[in-house]
Every structure is written in structure tokens, then in C-alpha cells.
Amino acid sequence: MKYFTLTYILIVAWCFLPAQHELTGTFTSTEDQPIQFARVAAYLQDSIQSQTLTDDQGSFSLHLPKNEYLIKVEWLNRIIYEESLTIEDYTNLGTLTIDNATQIDEVEIQAQKRQITRNGDKLIMNVLDNPRFEGKMAAEILSYAPYVWFDQSSRTFSIKGNATVILINGKRSNLAPEDLNNYLNSLSQKEIKAIEIVSNPSSRYDAEGAGGVINIVTSRAQERGIYGSLYSGLHLGPFVSHSHSAQVNAKINDKLALNTYFAFVRQNGRQTEDRTETLRSPAVVYDYRTEDTTRQRYGFANVSLSYEPSKKSEINLGYSGYFSNSQRDQYNDLTITQEDDIMSIGIYDYLNTSQTHDVSLNYNQDLDDKGQKLSFLTDYYRANYLADNLYENRFFSPVEQLIND
């Protein structure tokens, strides 16, 4: 009897699930070259219902319930196809040719084949030799990566809508989300060799506890000698902001290498807002004026010493340091008009500082040519956070008499 009841419940639940209909198609250039790794997304009221990537032949397949969708195809951070479709049954768009003259360049298609490759369970996007990323920072470069999506509200990255872990050279970063974003905004193309995307992590990534993995592989010296790069940026506005970074890599001999990266950023900003809100019952008018000033400084230091006893093994000793100092001053001027005018002055000061230190010693041994690896990881992490916030609000009568403090 228990078996019959369970079977009945499962059948009823299955009957109420919306039927899934397949949408397929293929995208090519006018030179009949497949457009690979383009993101195909089906939107319903500005929300993504399903998405996928085109394969090596430029083909894709989506499964959707019956409805009307906006289909967008994005390639190299550009929309190359957009159309509203009603999905009622199996739908095949056939082969769609994107006009090179108005949409994309054939040179870019050929370059894309070299810039994005597949290796086992991961996609590898070459960054260092890609002219499209010249002058860009890691945070912006990630927006070009297949499957990757950045949420502006939470300031976090995701893969296919799943929680994502960001690794630096295969090692998980211990930085808080805001600090990690600062780091990505200071890491230029010159310091990045490639970005690896794992959308369906295998068992070896279970310890990361995420539905997707992004691994940023930094550049290293390949030949004996010393190599370096410098970057400086200046932003002029109400306040001056600037950023600087330096990378020095040294290949000491065939087995020993030293890689370093340093960055310092200073950001200043000011925002003002004037706003009026009116309530009808009871009749109240709120007049706001806000001045918000922010000052932020942060810096990074990464030092890595690598020793290769053989071509299939590596010992790595590394240090990563981060500091930040951010201050925010907010001044609010509020007038409340009801029976009597009440004025309010608010002062809010926020001061946050943080320091992190991370020392690691790792050993990696390749077991075969299929990607199997033996790793021993040791890590010491220390962090200090300090927050000092001041809130002060005063209310005055129409004759500027202090009501409360």
C-alpha cells in the first residue's frame, strides 16, 4: 500500500509540471564560421529563465515551458541577436548568419577560437595575448567570460545563476566580497595569463562548496630573466582618484622562479541629492538634502616563490597581503513641514579599516596526462577588522530652538 501511495503522488506531481519544449539553433558568420561560446538566454519579464552557450559548431539547445520569451545572444560582451519568440512546441531557428559588416568581424571569430578553448571540465579564456582586453581590469574582463554573471546589488559573481568561488592560481581567496572586488579592479590584463571557468564542478571541487568555479591564473616568467610591468591610472573629478600597480617576475633558473605583484589605489568621491516627498494624509512634506563624501585607500601585495623538482611537480611558497582604509562622511539636512516646520541636521561618520595576511605552502604532483593531480595545501590566514561609526541627529523648532539631541 505504501508503494502504491508513493507512486500515485509522484504521478500526480509529474502531471502538474509544465511541459518543456526545446529551442535549438545555430549561429555562423557570413564566412560560414561557427560562432562558438556565445551566451544564449531566454528572458521572461526581464528575468532569465534559461541560458546556455553555443558549442564548437555554433549550435545551442534550450528547454522552456510554453510562453513568450525574449531571446538574446551575447558574444564578446555584445548582443548579436535579439528576438521575441512564442515557444509552444519544438522550435528550430535553423542556421542564422550574423552579418559581419554590422555585427562582428571575421578576424574576431578566428581570434575567438584561439582565445577560448575547452580542456576537460573547464573553459579557458586566454587574457594576456588578447588585444580585446588591453587596458582592462580583471573585474571587467570577467564580464566577457562564458557563463559568468555579475550581480550589481550583491557585488558577487555567479555561473549560470549558481554561487561561485573565485580562485587565484587554484587557491581560494579569503577576502571579503568587497575586498575581492577591490582586488579584481586593481589587477590589470598584464598580470593575468588566463581565466578558467568550471560551470559543473567535479568531485575535486567539492571542498569549495560552490556551483561554479572561476580560477584566475596570473602570468609568470617563462624564460630565464627578469620581466616587469607598471600601470598607473588617474581620474579627475570633484576629487582626484588614482591607482598604481607593479609586477615583477623573475625566472632565476630552470627550476626556480619568483613572481610578485603590488598595487595601491586611492579613490575619492562626492554625491549630493535633493529630494522632496509629500504625504497626503496627514499632509506632510519632507525636504531632503544629502551630501555624501567617501575616501578610500587600499593596497595588495602578492609574492610567490616556485620550485619545480621535475616537470610534473611543483612546490610553492606564497604570501598575500591586503589593507584597506575607508571613510565616509554623510551630512543630511531635512525639513519636515506639517503644522509647524521641524528642521533636522544629521551627521554620520563611518570609518572602516581591515588588514589580511595569508601565508601558504603547497605541493602539486601531476599523476598523468588526463589532469589527475595530487596536492598538499597548507595555509595560515590572519585578518583584522575595525569599524568606528558615529551617528548624530538634532531636531530644531521653526525658531531654531533645539528640540532633542
Side-chain angles (χ1 to χ4, degrees):
M1 183 61 181
K2 292 182 179 179
Y3 174 78
F4 171 78
T5 303
L6 178 61
T7 303
Y8 175 77
I9 293 173
L10 289 175
I11 292 175
V12 171
W14 178 82
C15 290
F16 282 98
L17 288 176
Q20 299 286 311
H21 305 292
E22 187 178 14
L23 172 66
T24 62
T26 301
F27 289 92
T28 65
S29 70
T30 53
E31 299 296 328
D32 202 29
Q33 294 292 328
I35 300 177
Q36 303 173 342
F37 310 120
R39 186 169 73 101
V40 184
Y43 289 81
L44 185 62
Q45 297 179 350
D46 296 328
S47 176
I48 296 179
Q49 302 301 303
S50 181
Q51 61 180 332
T52 187
L53 291 182
T54 57
D55 59 20
D56 296 343
Q57 304 303 315
S59 301
F60 74 93
S61 173
L62 287 176
H63 291 83
L64 300 163
K66 178 181 178 181
N67 215 319
E68 184 175 350
Y69 299 92
L70 177 63
I71 307 300
K72 290 184 180 181
V73 180
E74 184 177 347
W75 188 77
L76 289 177
N77 214 27
R78 286 185 289 174
I79 301 297
I80 62 173
Y81 176 85
E82 183 174 346
E83 185 176 355
S84 294
L85 295 175
T86 299
I87 306 299
E88 296 179 333
D89 204 341
Y90 170 74
T91 303
N92 183 8
L93 300 179
T95 299
L96 300 175
T97 301
I98 305 301
D99 184 7
N100 294 350
T102 59
Q103 299 288 349
I104 54 179
D105 193 308
E106 184 62 27
V107 175
E108 291 182 312
I109 295 178
Q110 297 293 343
Q112 182 73 349
K113 288 186 175 182
R114 298 189 297 270
Q115 303 301 345
I116 298 182
T117 58
R118 189 184 298 274
N119 184 3
D121 61 350
K122 61 188 175 184
L123 292 174
I124 303 174
M125 184 172 73
N126 180 37
V127 175
L128 187 61
D129 299 325
N130 194 332
R132 173 168 291 276
F133 302 140
E134 186 174 349
K136 293 181 172 61
M137 298 299 179
E140 183 178 359
I141 293 172
L142 279 173
S143 67
Y144 290 82
Y147 292 126
V148 176
W149 184 264
F150 181 68
D151 189 329
Q152 292 287 349
S153 58
S154 63
R155 310 295 296 173
T156 57
F157 290 91
S158 63
I159 294 179
K160 295 182 178 179
N162 298 320
T164 300
V165 164
I166 295 183
L167 309 180
I168 309 296
N169 295 322
K171 181 177 176 295
R172 183 167 185 167
S173 169
N174 291 311
L175 295 174
E178 182 177 355
D179 297 336
L180 179 59
N181 284 325
N182 289 338
Y183 174 71
L184 294 177
N185 279 306
S186 72
L187 193 63
S188 70
Q189 177 211 16
K190 298 295 184 181
E191 283 84 41
I192 305 172
K193 177 183 178 183
I195 294 176
E196 300 175 347
I197 309 297
V198 184
S199 58
N200 296 297
S202 60
S203 58
R204 65 184 173 133
Y205 293 106
D206 284 348
E208 306 301 337
V213 174
I214 300 173
N215 182 33
I216 299 176
V217 182
T218 58
S219 59
R220 298 183 178 184
Q222 300 298 319
E223 299 180 358
R224 186 175 299 185
I226 299 177
Y227 306 86
S229 64
L230 295 173
Y231 170 85
S232 289
L234 180 66
H235 175 73
L236 300 177
F239 297 93
V240 176
S241 299
H242 54 90
S243 60
H244 315 276
S245 65
Q247 181 190 43
V248 178
N249 297 333
K251 187 78 171 180
I252 301 172
N253 54 44
D254 292 338
K255 296 185 176 182
L256 189 63
L258 176 67
N259 301 282
T260 65
Y261 172 71
F262 305 94
F264 174 79
V265 178
R266 181 164 189 156
Q267 294 178 333
N268 301 297
R270 182 182 181 184
Q271 291 182 336
T272 60
E273 180 185 12
D274 292 286
R275 187 173 78 253
T276 300
E277 296 180 5
T278 302
L279 301 181
R280 294 184 177 180
S281 180
V284 182
V285 178
Y286 296 89
D287 288 320
Y288 298 88
R289 176 172 176 78
T290 300
E291 294 183 3
D292 201 341
T293 304
T294 58
R295 293 179 292 275
Q296 186 177 29
R297 294 180 300 156
Y298 56 88
F300 304 89
N302 293 332
V303 180
S304 173
L305 182 64
S306 302
Y307 176 70
E308 299 180 356
S310 66
K311 293 183 178 181
K312 292 189 176 182
S313 61
E314 180 185 41
I315 301 173
N316 183 275
L317 176 64
Y319 166 79
S320 296
Y322 169 78
F323 83 90
S324 75
N325 182 297
S326 60
Q327 183 175 352
R328 178 183 176 188
D329 300 319
Q330 189 178 86
Y331 174 82
N332 293 330
D333 192 348
L334 168 64
T335 301
I336 305 174
T337 303
Q338 197 172 10
E339 295 179 356
D340 296 316
D341 290 348
I342 297 177
M343 293 176 290
S344 168
I345 296 177
I347 299 175
Y348 310 98
D349 292 330
Y350 310 83
L351 177 63
N352 294 279
T353 61
S354 63
Q355 288 186 358
T356 65
H357 303 276
D358 192 331
V359 179
S360 61
L361 178 62
N362 308 326
Y363 173 78
N364 297 302
Q365 174 73 49
D366 293 332
L367 300 180
D368 55 30
D369 296 331
K370 298 180 180 180
Q372 296 191 47
K373 181 183 296 185
L374 176 65
S375 299
F376 294 97
L377 310 176
T378 60
D379 190 54
Y380 172 78
Y381 176 74
R382 181 176 179 179
N384 296 312
Y385 297 97
L386 174 64
D388 187 7
N389 301 327
L390 171 66
Y391 305 89
E392 184 177 355
N393 219 357
R394 296 182 179 183
F395 291 88
F396 297 88
S397 69
V399 294
E400 298 186 358
Q401 181 179 0
L402 182 63
I403 298 176
N404 73 327
D405 188 357

